[in-house]
Amino acid sequence: MSRVYNFSAGPAVLPEEVLVEAQSQLVDYKGAGMSLMEMSHRGKEYDAVHTEAVANLKRLMGLGDDFTILFQTGGASGQFALVPLNLLGAGQTADYINAGSWGAKAIKEAKNIGTVNVAADTSKAKPSRMPKAGEMKLTPGASYLHITTNETIEGTQMKSMPDVEAPLVADMSSDILSRPLNFSKFGLIYAGAQKNIGPAGVTLVAIRKDLLERSSEKIPAIFRYKVHAAENSLYNTPPCFAIYLVMLVTRWIDQQGGLDKLAALNAAKAAHLYAAVDGSGGYYRGTAAVEDRSDMNVTFRLPSEELEEKFVKEASAAKLKGLKGHRSVGGIRASIYNAFPRAGVDALVSFMREFQQRNG
Ligand code: PMP
């Protein structure tokens, strides 16, 4: 077996231990004579998985009984629609921060459903950056404030969360469980699993229970948070196998020492890469404002697009895969989520030095 260093933005690298464990149970899950994928989602084996996944997520996020965890499908993109559909009532306004490509998509979708105030817009800023607290023009009595805690394409991350009266709704798709946060300060948190907590196909929603009451009966049941909450995410057949992997990843996070430990490892990985960028005498140029640099997605440019293409190609040949920046912005993006090993960052830093020597 030869695993490469996978810098893909998502679906992204999973802990090898998790893959090996899932493989060992794939054909015959715990002696049941069938795969978990072949079992009823209402049977005792799957029930144990589902219950543990919910409990582990709540514990890791420090959430109490006033929160409920939902497993949804449709990705974070589905939540772009479901959040306003459920939380934004007629005649009300929702505040949104537009700090990059994903925030912009959330806004576009919300505008199809209700009234949106863009409270701050740094989406076109160069270098890419997050808004400062004083830049936000909030609506008094807003339904909620929507933020994107990590802009995956631009490589920016919110280092502190806005302090607002309205419920805070966060798309945490690309940095969920990568650092300790006061999660109970949020009204709703959502994240596609495929970067930090599992495979594609399941979307985590953590919602404060009082917000469930906002879901109108006119919304089709399948789109209503309240229905999913009442049925413990078993209103319809959930993505059982993806949830099983999320459960294994939450166990793995515990084995690593929890969120404090992971955050320290993540920060050190990112710092090492940014130091390589900053120490290159301008050969590599970071695209994000230094104070907002993401610990998850490290974005930078080379002197020309030709060199960037060569960099990606040669890195790939050296088993450093998935470094091409998002097609909308170009450049290089190294995604280094929780499961991305430190040794892979070291390998990339060596490669960067060597590439510059050959092509500087
Ligand atoms: N939000 C963010 C911050 C993302 O990084 C992504 C995926 N890259 C999405 C939303 C969209 O997620 P999905 O493909 O699960 O709909």
Side-chain angles (χ1 to χ4, degrees):
M1 184 176 67
S2 139
R3 301 257 300 160
V4 298
Y5 290 124
N6 177 8
F7 290 92
S8 172
V13 57
L14 283 163
E16 199 168 315
E17 299 94 312
V18 165
L19 296 176
V20 169
E21 170 66 14
Q23 182 187 41
S24 79
Q25 302 295 325
L26 192 66
V27 176
D28 179 5
Y29 185 78
K30 296 197 166 170
M34 60 176 95
S35 161
L36 189 78
M37 277 180 272
E38 301 167 294
M39 286 178 190
S40 167
H41 57 297
R42 304 198 188 274
K44 70 176 185 341
E45 286 91 354
Y46 179 70
D47 179 59
V49 167
H50 194 99
T51 304
E52 184 181 338
V54 168
N56 289 357
L57 286 164
K58 273 185 111 172
R59 182 174 38 73
L60 285 168
M61 297 169 89
L63 298 175
D65 286 341
D66 49 339
F67 276 83
T68 189
I69 299 278
L70 307 177
F71 296 120
Q72 304 256 280
T73 53
S77 304
Q79 299 304 314
F80 292 168
L82 293 185
V83 164
L85 205 54
N86 281 272
L87 302 188
L88 177 52
Q92 296 182 318
T93 300
D95 286 339
Y96 276 71
I97 287 183
N98 186 3
S101 309
W102 292 110
K105 285 207 167 163
I107 289 167
K108 193 165 174 230
E109 199 68 347
K111 281 183 173 167
N112 287 329
I113 290 161
T115 307
V116 168
N117 166 51
V118 178
D121 189 344
T122 56
S123 61
K124 300 280 180 295
K126 293 258 175 329
S128 306
R129 67 176 185 89
M130 289 288 174
K132 312 249 178 289
E135 269 177 85
M136 287 192 291
K137 300 226 163 24
L138 299 169
T139 308
S143 290
Y144 56 87
L145 170 66
H146 182 281
I147 61 173
T148 310
T149 53
N150 188 82
E151 281 288 358
T152 324
I153 293 177
E154 286 77 7
T156 51
Q157 187 174 30
M158 281 190 182
K159 302 299 171 182
S160 63
M161 299 301 134
D163 209 2
V164 290
E165 260 169 49
L168 194 53
V169 172
D171 175 0
M172 284 196 196
S173 292
S174 49
D175 67 350
I176 184 90
L177 300 190
S178 70
R179 55 179 170 169
L181 286 176
N182 186 359
F183 292 98
S184 52
K185 191 178 148 173
F186 294 81
L188 187 152
I189 294 163
Y190 64 91
Q194 66 269 22
K195 299 166 199 299
N196 267 314
I197 55 169
V202 61
T203 310
L204 168 68
V205 174
I207 181 170
R208 218 175 60 209
K209 282 180 182 164
D210 62 292
L211 294 174
L212 294 169
E213 299 312 318
R214 291 200 194 174
S215 299
S216 154
E217 300 284 318
K218 294 203 180 101
I219 307 171
I222 188 72
F223 298 143
R224 237 181 286 157
Y225 291 136
K226 196 175 175 182
V227 168
H228 291 287
E231 303 282 341
N232 189 23
S233 304
L234 296 165
Y235 168 71
N236 67 319
T237 314
C240 304
F241 197 72
I243 293 168
Y244 166 58
L245 286 175
V246 169
M247 186 275 278
L248 291 180
V249 170
T250 57
R251 280 187 191 171
W252 176 86
I253 293 175
D254 279 332
Q255 285 157 9
Q256 306 312 299
L259 299 191
D260 286 314
K261 208 53 183 286
L262 278 180
L265 292 171
N266 288 333
K269 286 188 291 183
H272 192 45
L273 258 181
Y274 287 120
V277 169
D278 294 340
S280 70
Y283 187 77
Y284 299 109
R285 283 170 295 118
T287 64
V290 172
E291 65 275 19
D292 298 326
R293 281 173 164 177
S294 169
D295 284 349
M296 300 281 101
N297 312 96
V298 176
T299 51
F300 58 93
R301 311 272 340 200
L302 272 73
S304 70
E305 285 184 20
E306 290 69 36
L307 280 170
E308 287 170 350
E309 208 174 300
K310 191 164 187 247
F311 182 94
V312 170
K313 207 168 145 204
E314 291 183 10
S316 176
K319 293 196 172 180
L320 306 170
K321 304 278 182 186
L323 284 162
K324 196 170 161 39
H326 192 269
R327 59 191 182 282
S328 61
V329 295
I332 307 295
R333 171 173 54 173
S335 297
I336 48 172
Y337 303 116
N338 280 349
F340 190 90
R342 169 66 197 228
V345 171
D346 295 344
L348 176 58
V349 167
S350 301
F351 176 82
M352 287 167 71
R353 292 205 181 110
E354 186 252 332
F355 185 88
Q356 184 179 356
Q357 270 163 17
R358 280 190 288 111
N359 299 280

